[in-house]
Amino acid sequence: MSTDREALGRFLTDNAVNETALALVRPACDLIAPFFIAAESGSLTLSPVAAIDETAEAIALASGAEIADIIPVSLSAVTEASSWLIRGSGQPAAETALWSRVARSLREAVDAAHWSVLQKRLPGWLAQELNETLAAAVWQDLQPILMARLPEYAALAYWDSFMITLGYVLIGDADGFHRMAPLLDKLSQNIPLGEKGGEPGTWLVLTA
C-alpha cells in the first residue's frame, strides 16, 4: 500500500488560510484516519445495526434532508444472497435489486447541500491540489476496496465527502466542517446508500 498520512496533514497545514483553518487540521486528520487504516488493511469493517441512529443524525446534518426512517441492510446478508446471478447481467440479483431501490443517493444529497457554496470560496487551483493530494495519499488504495462491494454512486459519496470536508478545513469554515464531520465519522462504520424510491425520508444504510 502507498498511503501517506503525513502528506495530507502537511498539505492542509501549508495551505490553511487562517488560525481557524489550522485548528481544524488535526480533527480532520483524525476523521480521515480510519480510511487510511481501511486502505492499508484492504477492508472496511462496518458496525452493526446498533449504531444506526447516529448515522441517521449525521446524514440529516450533512445533507439537510429530513430522515423519517432508516432501513438497515446487512452487507453480509446481501453477499450471501448474491450467489444467484441475473442471467446475462453479471450482477448479483440481490445487489441489483437493492441498488435499484435508491431514488436519491447520499452523494447527490450532500453535493446539493455543499458544493455550490464551497466552489465559490475555494480557489480552483487549491481544489485541484487537494484533489491530487487526497488521491495520492489514500484514495488510490481505498477506491478499489469500495468499488469491489459498492455501486459507483455509493463509493464516490466517500470521495465527495472527503473533498467537501477538507475544503472547509482549507478555507477555515468551522461551521461547514462540523456539519460534515459526523457523516465522515459514520462513513467508516456504516454506508448510507440513499433515499428509498417511493418513500421520501426513508434511507437505506448498509451495516455489518
Side-chain angles (χ1 to χ4, degrees):
M1 296 296 175
S2 56
T3 60
D4 191 340
R5 304 184 194 206
E6 290 74 17
L8 182 59
R10 285 195 305 271
F11 173 80
L12 295 174
T13 299
D14 291 346
N15 290 282
V17 296
N18 53 34
E19 291 300 319
T20 299
L22 284 172
L24 292 174
V25 170
R26 177 47 52 195
C29 289
D30 289 345
L31 279 174
I32 297 287
F35 302 101
F36 279 94
I37 294 171
E40 292 158 3
S41 67
S43 64
L44 185 68
T45 302
L46 301 184
S47 296
V49 173
I52 212 72
D53 288 344
E54 293 179 358
T55 301
E57 293 173 3
I59 296 169
L61 183 62
S63 67
E66 293 187 9
I67 310 298
D69 193 19
I70 292 286
I71 299 178
V73 180
S74 170
L75 186 59
S76 60
V78 172
T79 302
E80 291 167 4
S82 65
S83 56
W84 296 276
L85 298 178
I86 296 176
R87 183 176 301 172
S89 74
Q91 289 292 323
E95 293 183 12
T96 300
L98 176 60
W99 309 151
S100 67
R101 293 168 67 188
V102 174
R104 182 176 62 143
S105 71
L106 175 68
R107 186 188 188 197
E108 292 171 319
V110 170
D111 285 3
H114 296 275
W115 269 125
S116 61
V117 174
L118 190 58
Q119 287 175 331
K120 294 177 182 178
R121 300 175 58 192
L122 184 66
W125 66 268
L126 187 54
Q128 181 58 37
E129 289 192 8
L130 173 60
N131 185 309
E132 294 170 1
T133 301
L134 183 61
V138 66
W139 185 250
Q140 63 184 356
D141 292 319
L142 181 63
Q143 183 182 25
I145 297 168
L146 298 173
M147 294 292 286
R149 304 298 298 274
L150 300 172
E152 184 177 21
Y153 72 80
L156 289 178
Y158 282 79
W159 171 259
D160 285 10
S161 296
F162 293 157
M163 286 289 293
I164 291 169
T165 305
L166 298 180
Y168 282 132
V169 172
L170 289 173
I171 64 173
D173 186 332
D175 290 340
F177 174 81
H178 290 301
R179 284 179 62 197
M180 288 296 299
L183 178 63
L184 210 58
D185 178 51
K186 294 307 170 187
L187 280 174
S188 67
Q189 304 167 39
N190 298 123
I191 305 174
L193 296 176
E195 194 171 40
K196 184 181 178 185
E199 297 184 29
T202 298
W203 281 64
L204 299 167
V205 176
L206 287 180
T207 63

